[in-house]
Each structure stands twice: as C-alpha cells, then as structure tokens.
C-alpha cells in the first residue's frame, strides 16, 4: 500500500491553502520546505508509512476523510440537483401545504410517517427517519386539524418509546439510536391534550364517514363512494395512532391494572390493521429518491433536510420500509406487546425467568423487549410494582428445595440468627437475579457475552450459599437433630449456574459460532457434564423436598389420630427432570454421531497453523473458569475422558452410530410420555425421529465411501 502525501504547495503561485493569519506571516520567518519534503518522500519504499506517535494505525483506521462523499455523511446534500428546503422555507415557497390537504395526500403522508417510525425502531436515527417528515418539525404551523393532531401524536409515540427504551437499558448501538438532535418532541403539549386532539379529529371523521355512507335504495354515486372509503381510511389511521399512543402512555403508569388496560388498547388497534392494509392504495404514492438510500420523496418529506445534523461519520442509508411491510410489522409488534402483558400472570421467579427466555427466543424488537423489562421491575424496586424481589427469591427457594429455614413448622423459622443468615443471603441474591433477567432483554448476540460475565457473580453466590447452608445446618443440629440443612441453598444456586452454562453453549449453535469440527466437544460437554450435573442437582432438590414433606406429615400425624387418604402428588420438578434427560440423550446422540462421522472422514478439519484444537477448546469454555462448582473440564481431562482406546475393543463408527440411535430412541420414549406436550417437546421429537432412522442407515454402511 502506498500512501501518497500531497504537498501543501502545488505550484508556487497557489500560496498557502491553510489561510495563515497575516500577523503570523509577518512575525515569523517562513521557510519553504516543499522541495526537501518531496525528496524525503522519495526515500520511503513502497508500502512504508511515516507517522507521528500520536497518530498510529489504530487512529488511521477510525479517522474520517472529511469532505469525501464516501466517508462524510454531510457531503451527500451536495450531490443532488434539487434545493433542500426546511419546513418554514417550504411553506414560504409553496412547496408544501399546511391546510386544505386532499384525503389521498393525508393518507399518503400518514402511511409514510408510520414507515419512518418503524425504520427508526429498527435502529436508524430519528434524523434520517421520522424527522425527514417536515410536518413534525413544527406542528404549530400546521392548520389542517387531522395532520396537526397526527404530527403531535407521532412525536409523543417517539418520545415515550425513547423514554421506555432508555429506562430499560437493554439496547446496544446496533439496536436503537436515542438521539433527538435537538428537535422538540412535542414537550410543550401534555399527553392528555394530544390524545384529546386525536379523539376530536376521529369524531369529526366518523361523522363524515356516516354522512357519505350508502343509503338503502338510493343510486350510489362512485365519487361519493370513493370519498366514503377515503374518509374511512383516514379515520382508521387516526384511531390507530390514538390507541397506540394511549397504550404506550398506559405502560408508564405504576398500577398493575394498567397492564390489562394496555392489552385491551393494543387489541383494539390490531383490529384496525386489516382495514389499514386494504386502503393503502388510497394514499398518494411516493417517488423513490434516486440518490442513495431509496428514500420516499413526496410532499412533506425531504430525506436530506437533516443531513448536516448527522455526525461526520460514514454515511448510513436508512432504507425506509414499504407500506405493506409496515402494516405487517405493526401486527407483529402488537402481538409482542400482548405477550409482554401476560408476564404479570406469572408469579414465581422461575416462571418469570422461563417467560423471559421464551420471549427472547423470538428475537423481539427493542421496544417490546424494553416494555417487558419496565413491566417486570417498576423503578428498579418492586416486581410488577407489588412484590419485593427478596420475597420472590424466598418463594423460589421454597418451590425448588423447601429449605427448613423457610418452613413455618421449623424451629429455625423464628430463630433470630437463622433469620439474619437467610435474609442477608436473599438480599445478596436480588441483584444478580435482576441482572440475569435484564440480560434476557438484550439482543441474542449480546446476551451470550453477558451470560459469560454473570457467571462470576453466581460463583460468588454459590460460595456464600454453601457457607450459609453449613451455618444453618449446625444451628439445626442443636435444635432439631432429625432434620438436615445441607446443600439446600447451594443446590438452588448450582441449578441456576448450570442453566446459565447450558444456555451459553447452546446459544453458540443459534449464533452459528462453532465450526463443524468443534461440535463433538461442545456436545460432549453438554451431555456428559452439564446435563449430568443438572439432573443430579434436580434430583437432589427433589429429595430434599420429599424429606421436608415427610417431616411435615409426621408432625400432622402426631396431632390428628384420623387416617388421611394418600393422594399421589405431582412432583413440582418432575417435568424439568424429564426434559433434562431428553436433552442429555439428544446431546449424547449428537456427540457419538460427530465422532463416528469424523472416523469415516466426513468432517472437514482446518489446517491448524496459528492455533490448535486445544486453543479453540479453551476459548469456547473460558467463561466457565470462574465457576468452582461444577469444576471446569480442561482440555487434557476431556481428551482422557473421551478417549475411545480405553474400551476393549475400541468401538468402530458403526457401533457409535448404533449407540447414537439408541440415545435418540431413548429421548423419543421420554418425550412421548410427557403429558400435554408443549411446542418445545414436539420440536425435539421432530429431530429425534428422523435421526433414529438416519443413524441406522449409517450403521449399515450407507454412503460410507463418500468423504469430504
């Protein structure tokens, strides 16, 4: 790479292009070094660079060449032939109407504004989306009531959405841009006034819709019919804006009842979408901007109006979505908001964690993720604004391991020292669990990163849990020797540790981070290690629950002489134990399949030059080094534990395929016995069934000769 350095003086007559003040010229004795400078440049070989120590390659990579259209966003405005006008200039020149707009113009402007709103929610800047609409720059200048109310409504929607996303703090720079570039977000008008204005316009339009309706028995005038359809289209759009805005305002209230209210409002908004979709053609259509970015050009929109407000960075072209896609997007957004509202029906911590995980699997948009976070923790203090996080943690412990210290019938329940121990532990749990739930609000790629880091916090909790368990156990031994308090709190934290580790590894598959030749050790770690630990943790929790139940039964028996009929109780953790067994079998099957495929030369391996399998292995499991229980399996241990030579005779690929098919068979049997299967069970069954058949085919030597 050569770096051509342009001399400041092209020819002697040009003078300095830097505009040095006269005073400096007179006071200093200037020497022309052009000749020496050019001579020095010639001494540099091809590819050599000379740089100041404050401007190295790192700075050069992030430096921007100003005034270059490819690098400086501010230069795009100079490339178009038209004059770029702001709102006031456009009104003065008559390029834009502020009153007496026709119905198709209003419908077209509103639809394009909706498209800009969604493009902003998908991560572009306000300056390149919503604020390309000149009408929202200053709604006070608009005389048309419908357009004025709509412009204020859209600004309020943006403002509340921005506030929600900022408050939840689960976005990264690639998800959302919160800058408002100094625009007024209708802050001089109250929310109530804007919804009132929208309602007035809506009522007025409803009267127009009724007056243009077809009467029975009268001949229909096609012009009146068209007018009726256009009024109806505008009415639906204004009503949709009002419902969306009111729903967002409702989310800012602190009462739990407001979530149900928001759910009703978005359901009403959803009912309008099919009518909006079928009337898109009534709006004026935009011509696409021939400059870059494919931005719609129509009355009231100027894509380049804010170009100078953008920071001097590489130009980002905001591709505004199409109107048909806009309606579909709103439909999905409303479905997600309805789902968010359901979270308040989940009362226990484990249920809430599962809810957040499932919601995150759909890769929802930043607004719905943020609404879920702010609905869950109100002002970072109370869950749903009513429950303390500490109480949620205690309930989760009771549900999972029934620790004696939290049992009303145990002597520790009212013991001051025991109370201090458990309260301090539960308080320490609150922050990491809130962080864990917040992590599930981030986008999928960032989640994985953060899960790796939070393991450190959970490792500290694990340590504390074991100490508290030991202290409570020694207290209990003195007071009630027949009871134990061993590994209760520790089991619960270990369970969450394992869940985070499993999630971390599985998300690598979803994000396609692993190469095919790495699959075998990821599946080995999951099946032989993490799921095995998870199952033993769950069964230990189950047995401590049973021990507590027995003690309670005996205490009750002692009091009443009547015989009670024993009902077979459904174990709270039985479903989770079943699912873990199924997952373990699936992973074990995949591990054996990968080893067998490798034996048959069907896995492409890289030529390791700068790294090795060990380096990759250690990189994949690096976050687990901060965890003490379960202890991380190092590469050498893994190689020893997975060595096939320790078997006599060592299995061949056909034996491994058969073993894998047995694992898939086992997973199928386990899942088919699950009562009332959910979509997840059916999803795994869909994978397990064909895998059984394929494994048997491969074991029989099918396509054995094909290699990669």
């Amino acid at each position: 790479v050569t770096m051509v350095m342009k001399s400041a003086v092209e020819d002697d007559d040009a003078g300095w292009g830097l505009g040095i003040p006269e005073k400096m010229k007179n006071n200093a004795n200037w020497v022309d070094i052009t000749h020496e400078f050019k001579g020095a440049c010639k001494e540099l070989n091809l590819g050599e660079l000379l740089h100041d120590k404050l401007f190295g390659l790192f700075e050069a990579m992030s430096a921007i060449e100003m005034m270059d259209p490819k690098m400086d966003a501010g230069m795009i405005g100079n490339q178009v032939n038209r004059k770029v006008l702001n709102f006031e200039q456009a009104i003065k020149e008559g390029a834009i109407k502020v009153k007496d707009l026709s119905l198709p113009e209003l419908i077209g402007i509103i639809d394009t504004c909706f498209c800009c709103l969604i493009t902003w929610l998908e991560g572009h800047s306000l300056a390149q989306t919503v604020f390309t609409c000149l009408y929202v720059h200053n709604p006070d200048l608009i005389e048309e009531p419908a357009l004025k109310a709509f412009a204020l409504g859209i600004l309020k929607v943006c403002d509340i959405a921005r506030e929600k996303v900022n408050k939840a703090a689960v976005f990264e720079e690639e998800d959302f841009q919160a800058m408002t570039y100094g625009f007024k977000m209708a802050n001089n008008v109250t929310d109530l006034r804007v919804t009132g204005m929208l309602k007035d316009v809506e009522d007025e339009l409803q009267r127009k819709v009724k007056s243009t309706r077809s009467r029975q028995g009268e001949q229909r005038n096609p012009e009146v019919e068209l007018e009726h359809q256009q009024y109806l289209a505008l009415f639906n759009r204004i009503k949709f804006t009002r419902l969306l805005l009111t729903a967002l305002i409702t989310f800012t209230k602190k009462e739990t009842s407001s979530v149900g209210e928001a759910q009703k409002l978005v359901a009403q908004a959803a009912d309008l979408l099919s009518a909006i979709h079928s009337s898109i053609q009534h709006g004026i259509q935009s011509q696409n901007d021939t400059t870059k970015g494919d931005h719609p050009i129509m009355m009231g929109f100027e894509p380049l109006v804010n170009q100078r407000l953008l920071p001097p960075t590489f130009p980002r072209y905001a591709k505004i979505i199409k109107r048909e896609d806009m309606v579909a997007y709103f439909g999905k957004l409303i479905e997600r908001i309805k789902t968010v509202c359901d979270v308040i029906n989940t009362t226990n911590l484990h249920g809430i964690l599962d809810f957040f995980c499932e919601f995150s699997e759909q890769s929802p948009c930043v607004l719905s993720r943020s609404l879920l976070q702010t609905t869950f923790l109100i002002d970072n203090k109370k869950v749903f604004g009513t429950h303390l996080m500490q109480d949620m943690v205690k309930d989760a412990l009771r549900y999972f391991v029934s620790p004696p210290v939290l049992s009303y019938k145990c002597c520790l329940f009212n013991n001051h020292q025991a109370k201090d121990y458990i309260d301090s532990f539960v308080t320490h749990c609150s922050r990491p669990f809130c962080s864990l739930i917040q992590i599930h609000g981030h986008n999928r790629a960032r989640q994985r990163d953060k899960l790796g880091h939070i393991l450190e916090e959970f490792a500290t909790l694990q340590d504390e849990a074991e100490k508290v368990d030991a202290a409570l156990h020694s207290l209990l031994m003195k007071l009630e020797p027949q009871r134990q308090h061993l590994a209760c709190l520790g089991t619960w934290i270990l369970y969450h540790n394992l869940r985070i580790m499993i999630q971390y590894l599985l998300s690598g598959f979803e994000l396609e981070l692993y190469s095919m030749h790495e699959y075998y050790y990821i599946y080995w770690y999951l099946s032989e290690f993490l799921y095995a630990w998870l199952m033993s943790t769950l069964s230990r929790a189950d047995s401590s629950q049973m021990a507590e139940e027995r003690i309670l039964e005996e205490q009750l028996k002692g009091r009443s002489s009547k015989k009670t009929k024993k009902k077979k109780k459904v174990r709270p953790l039985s479903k989770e134990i079943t699912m873990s067994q199924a997952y373990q079998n699936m992973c074990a099957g995949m591990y054996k399949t990968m080893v067998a495929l490798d034996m048959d030369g069907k896995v492409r391996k890289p030529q390791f030059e700068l790294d090795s399998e060990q380096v990759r292995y250690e990189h994949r499991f690096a976050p687990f080094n901060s965890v003490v229980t379960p202890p991380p399996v190092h590469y050498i241990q893994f190689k020893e534990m997975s060595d096939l030579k320790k078997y006599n005779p060592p299995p061949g690929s056909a034996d491994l395929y058969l073993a894998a098919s047995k694992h898939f068979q086992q997973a199928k049997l386990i899942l088919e016995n699950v009562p009332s299967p959910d979509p997840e069970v059916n999803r795994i069954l869909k994978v397990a069934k064909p895998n059984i058949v394929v494994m048997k085919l491969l074991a029989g030597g099918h396509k054995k000769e094909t290699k990669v």
Side-chain angles (χ1 to χ4, degrees):
V1 181
T2 57
M3 191 169 177
V4 181
M5 303 192 86
K6 235 188 203 166
S7 143
V9 182
E10 292 290 295
D11 52 32
D12 296 336
D13 304 325
W16 287 86
L18 300 172
I20 292 168
E22 277 303 313
K23 198 166 71 185
M24 276 177 72
K25 278 188 187 173
N26 300 339
N27 295 356
N29 184 18
W30 291 94
V31 181
D32 184 354
I33 58 156
T34 313
H35 192 66
E36 290 92 326
F37 179 71
K38 284 187 170 173
C41 286
K42 284 189 180 128
E43 287 175 29
L44 288 172
N45 290 329
L46 191 65
E48 271 190 299
L49 299 173
L50 184 71
H51 72 86
D52 184 83
K53 63 173 180 291
L54 294 174
F55 191 82
L57 284 173
F58 183 76
E59 286 79 12
M61 282 302 291
S62 49
I64 279 164
E65 199 172 328
M66 291 184 75
M67 317 283 289
D68 176 351
K70 285 199 293 298
M71 297 178 96
D72 186 349
M75 292 302 293
I76 295 177
N78 305 344
Q79 295 176 309
V80 289
N81 306 328
R82 65 174 187 274
K83 193 175 174 192
V84 175
L85 304 170
N86 65 22
F87 191 29
E88 285 82 358
Q89 290 166 340
I91 294 171
K92 203 182 269 178
E93 295 206 4
I96 191 169
K97 292 187 199 169
V98 285
K99 59 178 179 187
D100 305 329
L101 282 91
S102 69
L103 290 169
E105 283 171 340
L106 286 169
I107 296 165
I109 289 166
I110 288 174
D111 281 352
T112 310
C113 255
F114 281 152
C115 294
C116 290
L117 173 70
I118 283 168
T119 310
W120 170 61
L121 287 175
E122 283 295 285
H124 288 282
S125 70
L126 271 172
Q128 285 179 295
T129 53
V130 179
F131 284 110
T132 58
C133 174
L134 299 176
Y135 288 111
V136 297
H137 288 210
N138 190 352
D140 297 341
L141 300 178
I142 305 170
E143 294 173 40
E144 173 69 50
L147 191 56
K148 182 172 187 168
F150 174 76
L152 288 166
I154 273 287
L155 285 172
K156 284 286 182 197
V157 166
C158 289
D159 199 36
I160 296 172
R162 198 174 61 90
E163 183 230 340
K164 284 281 167 204
V165 175
N166 276 333
K167 193 173 174 186
V170 286
F171 68 96
E172 304 290 337
E173 57 186 353
E174 68 268 23
D175 291 318
F176 186 72
Q177 293 192 32
M179 253 183 87
T180 55
Y181 300 93
F183 282 111
K184 294 192 285 291
M185 304 295 282
N187 297 330
N188 53 342
V189 195
T190 61
D191 295 350
L192 206 64
R193 173 92 202 283
V194 176
T195 49
M197 284 168 79
L198 284 163
K199 186 80 180 99
D200 292 345
V201 170
E202 201 182 308
D203 294 343
E204 178 59 36
L205 285 168
Q206 192 155 23
R207 283 195 285 278
K208 295 266 176 61
V209 168
K210 281 180 180 164
S211 68
T212 55
R213 247 195 335 222
S214 61
R215 307 275 185 283
Q216 215 174 358
E218 80 169 8
Q219 195 63 41
R220 194 74 172 126
N221 181 341
E223 282 175 18
V224 180
E225 175 57 35
L226 178 65
E227 196 181 13
H228 171 72
Q229 293 298 336
Q230 289 171 347
Y231 273 127
L232 191 60
L234 187 57
F235 165 76
N236 285 330
R237 281 157 175 75
I238 296 289
K239 186 175 180 184
F240 180 82
T241 311
R242 179 179 64 81
L243 289 168
L244 183 66
L245 174 59
T246 319
L248 286 174
I249 293 169
T250 313
F251 270 112
T252 51
K253 294 178 187 162
K254 299 212 173 12
E255 304 81 44
T256 327
S257 60
S258 62
V259 177
E261 201 183 315
Q263 201 163 15
K264 280 188 201 129
L265 288 161
V266 289
Q268 287 174 351
D271 296 340
L272 299 170
L273 285 173
S274 62
I276 290 176
H277 189 269
S278 60
S279 58
I280 287 173
Q281 79 286 356
H282 287 307
I284 53 168
Q285 301 301 314
S286 55
Q287 295 85 41
N288 273 354
D289 183 0
T290 46
T291 61
K292 307 189 178 67
D294 202 23
H295 206 295
I297 295 269
M298 57 187 284
M299 187 179 74
F301 289 83
E302 174 48 80
L304 298 174
V305 71
N306 305 316
Q307 207 63 38
R308 294 271 189 259
L309 295 177
L310 299 175
T313 54
F314 303 114
R316 282 186 67 180
Y317 301 117
K319 193 167 171 44
I320 307 292
I321 73 163
K322 304 243 177 323
R323 293 180 189 183
E324 290 77 12
D325 301 337
M326 169 268 290
V327 182
Y329 186 96
F330 271 133
K332 286 180 188 155
L333 174 65
I334 286 171
E335 279 311 309
R336 288 194 291 265
I337 294 176
K338 280 185 196 165
T339 311
V340 165
C341 296
D342 290 337
V343 74
I344 57 165
N345 305 327
T346 316
T347 44
N348 64 349
L349 186 63
H350 288 191
I352 289 171
L353 257 171
D354 290 341
F355 187 99
F356 272 75
C357 288
E358 280 168 33
F359 186 71
S360 164
E361 278 166 15
Q362 312 162 17
S363 292
C365 65
V366 70
L367 178 59
S368 47
R369 296 198 314 249
S370 303
L371 288 173
L372 181 57
Q373 291 288 333
T374 51
T375 306
F376 162 67
L377 255 198
I378 299 214
D379 293 337
N380 292 338
K381 289 182 190 73
K382 287 189 172 179
V383 177
F384 308 137
T386 51
H387 314 287
L388 280 171
M389 190 65 184
Q390 284 88 322
D391 296 341
M392 301 284 281
V393 170
K394 283 182 181 173
D395 288 346
L397 276 162
R398 277 193 198 102
Y399 164 79
F400 191 75
V401 278
S402 318
V405 69
L406 293 175
S407 163
Y408 307 111
K409 298 279 192 305
C410 177
C411 59
L412 289 181
F413 188 70
N414 290 318
N415 180 307
H416 286 299
Q417 203 175 358
K419 253 195 159 106
D420 287 349
Y421 284 148
I422 189 76
D423 287 347
S424 145
F425 170 71
V426 164
T427 308
H428 289 167
C429 282
S430 297
R431 210 180 71 88
F433 275 96
C434 286
S435 304
L436 181 59
I437 286 172
Q438 191 179 27
I439 285 173
H440 289 301
H442 282 271
N443 67 47
R444 300 295 277 174
R446 298 282 185 167
Q447 259 182 51
R448 184 172 195 272
D449 226 16
K450 292 177 191 301
L451 284 173
H453 290 303
I454 204 171
L455 277 171
E456 293 169 23
E457 285 186 48
F458 273 83
T460 317
L461 270 186
Q462 178 88 45
D463 191 40
E464 188 184 343
E466 282 161 13
K467 285 175 184 162
V468 175
D469 270 333
L472 289 172
H473 183 65
S474 60
L475 265 179
L476 192 57
M477 286 287 100
K478 292 173 197 159
L479 300 164
E480 277 187 67
Q482 80 276 25
R483 273 191 175 181
Q484 293 194 343
H485 204 300
L486 283 172
C488 286
L489 311 178
T491 300
W492 183 63
I493 295 290
L494 174 60
Y495 161 75
H496 284 287
N497 247 335
L498 290 163
R499 269 182 63 143
I500 295 169
M501 291 162 88
I502 288 168
Q503 217 171 346
Y504 179 82
L505 287 184
L506 290 178
S507 68
F509 286 110
E510 181 192 342
L511 298 167
E512 300 178 4
L513 301 180
Y514 309 134
S515 292
M516 184 78 81
H517 63 90
E518 295 180 282
Y519 282 8
Y520 86 104
Y521 50 75
I522 306 283
Y523 281 122
W524 179 87
Y525 212 100
L526 283 164
S527 67
E528 298 297 309
F529 195 63
L530 294 180
Y531 277 118
W533 269 85
L534 184 64
M535 274 152 54
S536 68
T537 307
L538 285 165
S539 55
R540 193 162 67 219
D542 195 45
S543 46
S544 29
Q545 279 181 2
M546 284 160 97
E548 266 304 292
E549 282 163 21
R550 270 200 301 279
I551 288 168
L552 289 177
E553 275 170 24
E554 279 161 22
Q555 285 178 347
L556 287 170
K557 256 188 215 161
R559 286 185 201 152
S560 68
S561 52
K562 284 180 194 168
K563 279 196 172 177
T564 49
K565 272 189 185 171
K566 265 204 162 181
K567 269 208 284 190
K568 197 177 178 209
K569 226 178 107 182
V570 178
R571 311 284 330 136
L573 301 174
S574 60
K575 169 113 196 260
E576 203 155 347
I577 293 173
T578 307
M579 291 306 286
S580 302
Q581 285 172 333
Y583 285 131
Q584 188 194 24
N585 274 298
M586 290 298 287
C587 290
M590 288 305 294
Y591 160 63
K592 288 179 180 167
T593 308
M594 291 313 298
V595 175
L597 287 170
D598 187 28
M599 274 185 184
D600 286 349
K602 288 180 163 54
V603 176
R604 186 177 279 116
K605 289 195 165 181
Q607 297 296 313
F608 289 115
E609 278 179 31
L610 300 170
D611 65 345
S612 61
E613 186 173 77
Q614 180 168 358
V615 170
R616 279 176 172 245
Y617 177 95
E618 281 164 4
H619 174 71
R620 293 298 178 211
F621 302 113
F624 300 169
N625 291 336
S626 59
V627 182
V628 182
T629 318
V633 181
H634 297 293
Y635 183 71
I636 295 156
Q637 278 172 286
F638 156 69
K639 278 312 230 188
E640 283 168 11
M641 290 163 85
S642 63
D643 190 5
L644 297 176
K645 292 193 182 75
K646 63 183 178 189
Y647 299 104
N648 193 11
S653 61
D655 306 322
L656 287 167
Y657 288 133
L658 277 175
S661 88
K662 281 180 187 149
H663 282 300
F664 293 131
Q665 185 77 42
Q666 189 60 30
K668 175 175 166 278
L669 286 172
I670 293 167
L671 293 170
E672 282 176 339
N673 290 326
V674 171
S676 59
D678 55 10
E680 177 66 1
V681 170
N682 295 327
R683 206 167 61 88
I684 307 165
L685 273 171
K686 262 188 191 161
V687 179
K689 285 174 183 172
N691 278 7
I692 298 167
V693 179
V694 174
M695 288 308 110
K696 286 184 175 161
L697 281 173
L698 289 169
H702 180 69
K703 291 201 172 174
K704 191 161 184 167
E705 59 290 338
T706 55
K707 305 252 189 285
V708 289

